[in-house]
Amino acid sequence: MLLVAIVFAIFLVIGMPVAFAIGISGMMFFLQHPELPISIPLQITVSTTQNFSLLAVPLFIVAGNLMNRSGITEGLLNLASVLTGRLRGGLAQISIVLSALMGGVSGSAIADAAMQSRMLGQQMIDRGMTKGFAAGVLSFSSLLTPIIPPGIGMILFGTIGSVSIGRLFAGGILPALLLGVAMSLSVWITATKRGYPPERSTRPTAKETITAFRGGIWAILFPVILLVGLRAGIFTPSEIGAVAVLYAVFIGFLIYKRMKVSDFIEALESSLGDVGSVMFLISLSAIFGYGIVFERLPELVASGLGTLTDNVQVVMVLIVLLTIVAGLFVDATVLIIMMTPIVLPVVTRLGGDPVHFGIIFVIAATLGNFTPPVGAAMYTVCSILNVSIKDYIKEGWPLLLAISIVTILLIFVPSIVLYIPNLIFG
C-alpha cells in the first residue's frame, strides 16, 4: 500500500481530479498482486453503487437543491435576525444562526458558505466589518450545516461503517449547538473590541417574533420529521431521503408558492452533477478500500496506536489531528470515504462508541473545507468577497480556536454527543 499512497499523493500534487487519482492509484495495488483476478476492481466498482443504503445520498442531494429554491432561505434569514440581531456583531451573529438553521435545508458546508457570502457578505463589509473578518465568519460558520441532520457526511460515515444513521443524525444536534454558541461568543468578543454594532437596536415585537417563526418553521420541522420518522420505524434512512424530496416539493410549490417548474428542473439538473461526482468518487474509492482491507491496514494502525496508548480518548485526539492534517490536502468527502474503514475499527476495538466517534470525525474532516491549501469553502468565500487568504487566516483563527475547544470537549465528554441519540433511540 506504500506505493499506492505515493502514487495517490503524486496525482494530487499534479492536479489530477480526486476520483481518478483514487481509482488509478487503487489499481496499482492489483498490479502489485498478480494473484488477484483483475476482474475484482470492475466488480466492486459496480457493486458498491448498488448498495441500497447509498440511495439516501442522491435523494438528500436532490432535496437540498429543491429546498434552496423553495424560498425558505429568506424566512430563515428573518428568523435568524430576530434571534440574534441585538447581539454585538450583528450580521456576523445572524450568519452563525442561519448556518444552523440551514442544516436541515442544504446539508452542504460549501453551498451554505457560497449562499451566505452572496446574501450577507457585502452587507457585513458595508457595516464596517473587515473583509477578512466577514470571510472568516461566513466560512467557518458553515461548519454547522453538515452537522445538523441530514448531513451527507454522516450518511457516508454510517453507510461505510455500518453505523446507525438515525443515531448519527441525533448525535449531531447538541455538538452543533455548542459549536454555534462558541463561534457566537468568539464573534461577540471581536465585535466588542472593534465596536461592531448590533443589527437591531430594539427588541423584536411579539408580532415580529411570531411572523419570523412562521416563516422558518418548515425548515425547523424538517430534521424533526426525519428523526421522528426514523425513531418510529416509519422510514428507513433511504426512504427518508424520498420523503425529504417530497417535503421540499410540497413547501416550495404549496406553502411558499415560490418554486416554479423551471426552478424544479434547474434543481434536478444541478443535482445530476452533484450526484454523479459523489457516486463516481464512492465507486472508485472501493478499489482503494479493497487494498486497505486486504493488507489489514486497520489492524496495523490499531497495533501502532496501541503501542502509544490504549486510552480511547487519546487515540481519538490523534485521529482528529491526523484527519485535520490530511484535510489540508484532501476534500472532506474523500476523507470520510477513505479513512472510515481504517480508523473506525481502531476506535471500536478500544471500546469507543461509533456514533460518538462519527460526529467528531465528521467535524474534523469538514474542517478541511475552511483551511488552505485546498479548502473549497474558504476559496469560495474569498473569491466572492475578493479577500486574500492571508487576511482570511489572520481574522479566522479565533473561530478555529473556538471550534477546537468544543471538539476537545466532545472527545472527553461523550455524553454530550450521545445524550439525544440515547434519549430518542434508547
mmCIF file of all heavy atoms in Angstrom, residues 294-324:
data_model
loop_
_atom_site.group_PDB
_atom_site.id
_atom_site.type_symbol
_atom_site.label_atom_id
_atom_site.label_comp_id
_atom_site.label_asym_id
_atom_site.label_seq_id
_atom_site.Cartn_x
_atom_site.Cartn_y
_atom_site.Cartn_z
ATOM 1 N N PHE A 294 -7.494 -5.771 2.409
ATOM 2 C CA PHE A 294 -6.641 -6.914 2.059
ATOM 3 C C PHE A 294 -5.318 -6.877 2.823
ATOM 4 O O PHE A 294 -4.816 -7.908 3.271
ATOM 5 C CB PHE A 294 -6.381 -6.904 0.547
ATOM 6 C CG PHE A 294 -5.674 -8.130 0.043
ATOM 7 C CD1 PHE A 294 -6.393 -9.257 -0.328
ATOM 8 C CD2 PHE A 294 -4.289 -8.164 -0.071
ATOM 9 C CE1 PHE A 294 -5.743 -10.390 -0.797
ATOM 10 C CE2 PHE A 294 -3.633 -9.289 -0.532
ATOM 11 C CZ PHE A 294 -4.357 -10.411 -0.902
ATOM 12 N N GLU A 295 -4.757 -5.687 2.965
ATOM 13 C CA GLU A 295 -3.478 -5.544 3.665
ATOM 14 C C GLU A 295 -3.645 -5.426 5.180
ATOM 15 O O GLU A 295 -2.667 -5.220 5.897
ATOM 16 C CB GLU A 295 -2.741 -4.302 3.136
ATOM 17 C CG GLU A 295 -2.321 -4.392 1.683
ATOM 18 C CD GLU A 295 -1.137 -5.321 1.474
ATOM 19 O OE1 GLU A 295 -0.649 -5.891 2.472
ATOM 20 O OE2 GLU A 295 -0.708 -5.476 0.321
ATOM 21 N N ARG A 296 -4.907 -5.516 5.641
ATOM 22 C CA ARG A 296 -5.212 -5.449 7.072
ATOM 23 C C ARG A 296 -4.672 -4.163 7.704
ATOM 24 O O ARG A 296 -4.132 -4.162 8.811
ATOM 25 C CB ARG A 296 -4.659 -6.684 7.784
ATOM 26 C CG ARG A 296 -5.182 -7.995 7.224
ATOM 27 C CD ARG A 296 -4.615 -9.187 7.949
ATOM 28 N NE ARG A 296 -5.067 -9.252 9.318
ATOM 29 C CZ ARG A 296 -4.669 -10.170 10.197
ATOM 30 N NH1 ARG A 296 -3.810 -11.095 9.819
ATOM 31 N NH2 ARG A 296 -5.127 -10.155 11.424
ATOM 32 N N LEU A 297 -4.846 -3.071 6.979
ATOM 33 C CA LEU A 297 -4.341 -1.787 7.446
ATOM 34 C C LEU A 297 -4.974 -1.335 8.759
ATOM 35 O O LEU A 297 -4.277 -0.787 9.629
ATOM 36 C CB LEU A 297 -4.538 -0.727 6.355
ATOM 37 C CG LEU A 297 -3.808 0.597 6.547
ATOM 38 C CD1 LEU A 297 -2.310 0.364 6.694
ATOM 39 C CD2 LEU A 297 -4.080 1.534 5.381
ATOM 40 N N PRO A 298 -6.302 -1.540 8.972
ATOM 41 C CA PRO A 298 -6.861 -1.156 10.276
ATOM 42 C C PRO A 298 -6.183 -1.845 11.449
ATOM 43 O O PRO A 298 -5.954 -1.218 12.494
ATOM 44 C CB PRO A 298 -8.334 -1.584 10.157
ATOM 45 C CG PRO A 298 -8.618 -1.545 8.698
ATOM 46 C CD PRO A 298 -7.352 -1.992 8.039
ATOM 47 N N GLU A 299 -5.861 -3.138 11.267
ATOM 48 C CA GLU A 299 -5.185 -3.857 12.340
ATOM 49 C C GLU A 299 -3.790 -3.290 12.592
ATOM 50 O O GLU A 299 -3.354 -3.163 13.741
ATOM 51 C CB GLU A 299 -5.074 -5.348 12.003
ATOM 52 C CG GLU A 299 -6.391 -6.100 12.103
ATOM 53 C CD GLU A 299 -7.190 -6.021 10.821
ATOM 54 O OE1 GLU A 299 -6.861 -5.180 9.950
ATOM 55 O OE2 GLU A 299 -8.173 -6.772 10.688
ATOM 56 N N LEU A 300 -3.095 -2.914 11.513
ATOM 57 C CA LEU A 300 -1.757 -2.352 11.661
ATOM 58 C C LEU A 300 -1.807 -0.996 12.358
ATOM 59 O O LEU A 300 -0.980 -0.701 13.224
ATOM 60 C CB LEU A 300 -1.094 -2.213 10.280
ATOM 61 C CG LEU A 300 -0.791 -3.520 9.535
ATOM 62 C CD1 LEU A 300 -0.249 -3.225 8.140
ATOM 63 C CD2 LEU A 300 0.210 -4.359 10.325
ATOM 64 N N VAL A 301 -2.802 -0.183 11.967
ATOM 65 C CA VAL A 301 -2.950 1.129 12.609
ATOM 66 C C VAL A 301 -3.304 0.962 14.082
ATOM 67 O O VAL A 301 -2.772 1.660 14.948
ATOM 68 C CB VAL A 301 -4.030 1.958 11.889
ATOM 69 C CG1 VAL A 301 -4.316 3.247 12.655
ATOM 70 C CG2 VAL A 301 -3.594 2.280 10.469
ATOM 71 N N ALA A 302 -4.183 0.003 14.365
ATOM 72 C CA ALA A 302 -4.594 -0.238 15.755
ATOM 73 C C ALA A 302 -3.417 -0.681 16.609
ATOM 74 O O ALA A 302 -3.238 -0.206 17.735
ATOM 75 C CB ALA A 302 -5.693 -1.290 15.799
ATOM 76 N N SER A 303 -2.610 -1.601 16.071
ATOM 77 C CA SER A 303 -1.454 -2.076 16.837
ATOM 78 C C SER A 303 -0.434 -0.964 17.010
ATOM 79 O O SER A 303 0.206 -0.859 18.067
ATOM 80 C CB SER A 303 -0.823 -3.281 16.134
ATOM 81 O OG SER A 303 -0.351 -2.912 14.840
ATOM 82 N N GLY A 304 -0.300 -0.101 15.974
ATOM 83 C CA GLY A 304 0.639 1.015 16.082
ATOM 84 C C GLY A 304 0.214 2.007 17.143
ATOM 85 O O GLY A 304 1.025 2.458 17.958
ATOM 86 N N LEU A 305 -1.071 2.347 17.156
ATOM 87 C CA LEU A 305 -1.571 3.263 18.183
ATOM 88 C C LEU A 305 -1.561 2.601 19.554
ATOM 89 O O LEU A 305 -1.397 3.272 20.579
ATOM 90 C CB LEU A 305 -2.988 3.724 17.832
ATOM 91 C CG LEU A 305 -3.116 4.658 16.626
ATOM 92 C CD1 LEU A 305 -4.581 4.923 16.310
ATOM 93 C CD2 LEU A 305 -2.392 5.972 16.877
ATOM 94 N N GLY A 306 -1.756 1.268 19.561
ATOM 95 C CA GLY A 306 -1.759 0.545 20.823
ATOM 96 C C GLY A 306 -0.421 0.595 21.527
ATOM 97 O O GLY A 306 -0.355 0.503 22.762
ATOM 98 N N THR A 307 0.652 0.739 20.759
ATOM 99 C CA THR A 307 1.974 0.860 21.380
ATOM 100 C C THR A 307 2.149 2.232 22.042
ATOM 101 O O THR A 307 2.992 2.391 22.919
ATOM 102 C CB THR A 307 3.078 0.663 20.332
ATOM 103 O OG1 THR A 307 2.936 1.663 19.306
ATOM 104 C CG2 THR A 307 2.987 -0.714 19.692
ATOM 105 N N LEU A 308 1.336 3.210 21.592
ATOM 106 C CA LEU A 308 1.418 4.548 22.174
ATOM 107 C C LEU A 308 0.517 4.671 23.398
ATOM 108 O O LEU A 308 0.931 5.181 24.438
ATOM 109 C CB LEU A 308 1.025 5.605 21.141
ATOM 110 C CG LEU A 308 1.891 5.689 19.880
ATOM 111 C CD1 LEU A 308 1.303 6.697 18.897
ATOM 112 C CD2 LEU A 308 3.319 6.081 20.244
ATOM 113 N N THR A 309 -0.724 4.218 23.256
ATOM 114 C CA THR A 309 -1.695 4.321 24.346
ATOM 115 C C THR A 309 -2.887 3.421 24.057
ATOM 116 O O THR A 309 -3.167 3.107 22.896
ATOM 117 C CB THR A 309 -2.189 5.769 24.501
ATOM 118 O OG1 THR A 309 -3.157 5.831 25.548
ATOM 119 C CG2 THR A 309 -2.828 6.265 23.220
ATOM 120 N N ASP A 310 -3.566 2.981 25.123
ATOM 121 C CA ASP A 310 -4.812 2.229 24.955
ATOM 122 C C ASP A 310 -6.005 3.045 25.439
ATOM 123 O O ASP A 310 -7.101 2.530 25.604
ATOM 124 C CB ASP A 310 -4.745 0.893 25.701
ATOM 125 C CG ASP A 310 -4.480 1.070 27.194
ATOM 126 O OD1 ASP A 310 -4.290 2.233 27.637
ATOM 127 O OD2 ASP A 310 -4.460 0.051 27.922
ATOM 128 N N ASN A 311 -5.780 4.357 25.654
ATOM 129 C CA ASN A 311 -6.850 5.267 26.055
ATOM 130 C C ASN A 311 -7.604 5.718 24.810
ATOM 131 O O ASN A 311 -7.027 6.348 23.922
ATOM 132 C CB ASN A 311 -6.267 6.472 26.794
ATOM 133 C CG ASN A 311 -7.343 7.379 27.363
ATOM 134 O OD1 ASN A 311 -8.148 7.929 26.626
ATOM 135 N ND2 ASN A 311 -7.343 7.544 28.681
ATOM 136 N N VAL A 312 -8.893 5.419 24.739
ATOM 137 C CA VAL A 312 -9.646 5.685 23.525
ATOM 138 C C VAL A 312 -9.747 7.175 23.233
ATOM 139 O O VAL A 312 -9.741 7.598 22.065
ATOM 140 C CB VAL A 312 -11.044 5.032 23.608
ATOM 141 C CG1 VAL A 312 -11.895 5.685 24.684
ATOM 142 C CG2 VAL A 312 -11.753 5.102 22.261
ATOM 143 N N GLN A 313 -9.840 8.025 24.293
ATOM 144 C CA GLN A 313 -9.921 9.457 24.055
ATOM 145 C C GLN A 313 -8.627 9.999 23.449
ATOM 146 O O GLN A 313 -8.659 10.832 22.543
ATOM 147 C CB GLN A 313 -10.225 10.212 25.354
ATOM 148 C CG GLN A 313 -11.689 10.229 25.745
ATOM 149 C CD GLN A 313 -12.095 8.984 26.498
ATOM 150 O OE1 GLN A 313 -11.242 8.279 27.030
ATOM 151 N NE2 GLN A 313 -13.390 8.710 26.563
ATOM 152 N N VAL A 314 -7.499 9.517 23.949
ATOM 153 C CA VAL A 314 -6.212 9.954 23.397
ATOM 154 C C VAL A 314 -6.077 9.501 21.944
ATOM 155 O O VAL A 314 -5.596 10.253 21.081
ATOM 156 C CB VAL A 314 -5.053 9.413 24.248
ATOM 157 C CG1 VAL A 314 -3.701 9.767 23.611
ATOM 158 C CG2 VAL A 314 -5.120 9.974 25.669
ATOM 159 N N VAL A 315 -6.533 8.283 21.659
ATOM 160 C CA VAL A 315 -6.497 7.785 20.284
ATOM 161 C C VAL A 315 -7.370 8.655 19.383
ATOM 162 O O VAL A 315 -7.000 8.979 18.249
ATOM 163 C CB VAL A 315 -6.960 6.311 20.232
ATOM 164 C CG1 VAL A 315 -7.192 5.860 18.792
ATOM 165 C CG2 VAL A 315 -5.923 5.420 20.895
ATOM 166 N N MET A 316 -8.546 9.068 19.885
ATOM 167 C CA MET A 316 -9.414 9.958 19.097
ATOM 168 C C MET A 316 -8.718 11.280 18.798
ATOM 169 O O MET A 316 -8.832 11.815 17.690
ATOM 170 C CB MET A 316 -10.724 10.207 19.842
ATOM 171 C CG MET A 316 -11.713 9.067 19.793
ATOM 172 S SD MET A 316 -13.316 9.594 20.473
ATOM 173 C CE MET A 316 -14.215 8.047 20.440
ATOM 174 N N VAL A 317 -8.018 11.816 19.798
ATOM 175 C CA VAL A 317 -7.291 13.078 19.585
ATOM 176 C C VAL A 317 -6.258 12.905 18.475
ATOM 177 O O VAL A 317 -6.133 13.757 17.579
ATOM 178 C CB VAL A 317 -6.613 13.540 20.887
ATOM 179 C CG1 VAL A 317 -5.678 14.719 20.612
ATOM 180 C CG2 VAL A 317 -7.650 13.936 21.920
ATOM 181 N N LEU A 318 -5.530 11.785 18.512
ATOM 182 C CA LEU A 318 -4.520 11.525 17.483
ATOM 183 C C LEU A 318 -5.173 11.390 16.102
ATOM 184 O O LEU A 318 -4.652 11.898 15.102
ATOM 185 C CB LEU A 318 -3.738 10.248 17.823
ATOM 186 C CG LEU A 318 -2.884 10.308 19.097
ATOM 187 C CD1 LEU A 318 -2.259 8.952 19.389
ATOM 188 C CD2 LEU A 318 -1.791 11.377 18.958
ATOM 189 N N ILE A 319 -6.308 10.702 16.048
ATOM 190 C CA ILE A 319 -7.005 10.533 14.767
ATOM 191 C C ILE A 319 -7.525 11.874 14.258
ATOM 192 O O ILE A 319 -7.446 12.159 13.049
ATOM 193 C CB ILE A 319 -8.158 9.518 14.918
ATOM 194 C CG1 ILE A 319 -7.604 8.122 15.167
ATOM 195 C CG2 ILE A 319 -9.045 9.515 13.666
ATOM 196 C CD1 ILE A 319 -8.658 7.078 15.467
ATOM 197 N N VAL A 320 -8.045 12.696 15.157
ATOM 198 C CA VAL A 320 -8.532 14.019 14.759
ATOM 199 C C VAL A 320 -7.389 14.859 14.190
ATOM 200 O O VAL A 320 -7.536 15.523 13.153
ATOM 201 C CB VAL A 320 -9.191 14.741 15.958
ATOM 202 C CG1 VAL A 320 -9.359 16.235 15.669
ATOM 203 C CG2 VAL A 320 -10.536 14.113 16.267
ATOM 204 N N LEU A 321 -6.237 14.838 14.855
ATOM 205 C CA LEU A 321 -5.077 15.589 14.357
ATOM 206 C C LEU A 321 -4.657 15.076 12.980
ATOM 207 O O LEU A 321 -4.359 15.876 12.070
ATOM 208 C CB LEU A 321 -3.915 15.481 15.347
ATOM 209 C CG LEU A 321 -4.115 16.173 16.696
ATOM 210 C CD1 LEU A 321 -2.951 15.883 17.632
ATOM 211 C CD2 LEU A 321 -4.281 17.679 16.517
ATOM 212 N N LEU A 322 -4.624 13.754 12.822
ATOM 213 C CA LEU A 322 -4.282 13.161 11.528
ATOM 214 C C LEU A 322 -5.289 13.567 10.458
ATOM 215 O O LEU A 322 -4.911 13.899 9.319
ATOM 216 C CB LEU A 322 -4.231 11.636 11.658
ATOM 217 C CG LEU A 322 -4.009 10.840 10.360
ATOM 218 C CD1 LEU A 322 -2.650 11.171 9.770
ATOM 219 C CD2 LEU A 322 -4.122 9.337 10.632
ATOM 220 N N THR A 323 -6.565 13.557 10.826
ATOM 221 C CA THR A 323 -7.620 13.919 9.871
ATOM 222 C C THR A 323 -7.516 15.381 9.461
ATOM 223 O O THR A 323 -7.695 15.725 8.282
ATOM 224 C CB THR A 323 -9.002 13.653 10.490
ATOM 225 O OG1 THR A 323 -9.081 12.289 10.909
ATOM 226 C CG2 THR A 323 -10.106 13.914 9.484
ATOM 227 N N ILE A 324 -7.239 16.254 10.416
ATOM 228 C CA ILE A 324 -7.111 17.681 10.099
ATOM 229 C C ILE A 324 -5.926 17.922 9.169
ATOM 230 O O ILE A 324 -6.025 18.705 8.210
ATOM 231 C CB ILE A 324 -6.971 18.504 11.395
ATOM 232 C CG1 ILE A 324 -8.293 18.466 12.183
ATOM 233 C CG2 ILE A 324 -6.579 19.945 11.089
ATOM 234 C CD1 ILE A 324 -8.210 19.131 13.544
#
